[in-house]
Amino acid sequence: QVQLVESGGGLVQAGGSLRLSCAASGRTFSTYGMGWFRQAPGKDREFVAAISRSGNLYYVQSVKGRFTISRDNAKNTVYLQMNSLKPEDTAVYYCAATLRFLIDSQRTSYDYWGQGTQVTVSS
């Protein structure tokens, strides 16, 4: 069983930055594709960013140029650096892991999920 634990959320003003972290259990972290999703109240869970086991990156258009996903396999951790935050970025952010070789934006492609961390951006 893969365990994922997000951290780093908080309340920031518009234009500010946060870095989310997702710590994964196990010794096979480097074999997982990792993704970040977010869900605002009353909204569907939305894909944000993903990074494959080989380092390929994929972002939803709305965060391109503002967010950066990265991974540190030695620390079993994936990060989401969020800059130029907007109120519409407010959501619970979830880390997810997939055993698939290719990453994608679909919730059903991910096998394991963290508990989420709240990000609130004030105007």
Side-chain angles (χ1 to χ4, degrees), residues 49-114:
I51 183 167
S52 76
R53 58 195 289 179
S54 60
N56 293 321
L57 307 176
Y58 182 40
Y59 299 95
V60 68
Q61 186 65 38
S62 61
V63 308
K64 286 183 178 178
R66 300 190 298 123
F67 291 9
T68 303
I69 188 171
S70 62
R71 65 193 298 160
D72 185 339
N73 290 341
K75 296 181 178 179
N76 282 14
T77 302
V78 63
Y79 303 96
L80 186 68
Q81 178 67 47
M82 305 186 295
N83 299 324
S84 301
L85 283 161
K86 304 175 181 179
E88 50 262 47
D89 295 318
T90 295
V92 176
Y93 282 70
Y94 296 91
C95 177
T98 179
L99 301 180
R100 294 186 177 198
F101 183 76
L102 298 176
I103 56 171
D104 63 38
S105 63
Q106 303 302 308
R107 290 178 59 187
T108 54
S109 297
Y110 293 83
D111 305 289
Y112 304 101
W113 294 83

Side-chain angles (χ1 to χ4, degrees), residues 22-43:
C22 174
S25 66
R27 52 183 287 273
T28 58
F29 175 78
S30 63
T31 70
Y32 307 149
M34 302 297 298
W36 287 96
F37 290 74
R38 64 188 181 186
Q39 187 167 22
K43 303 286 187 178

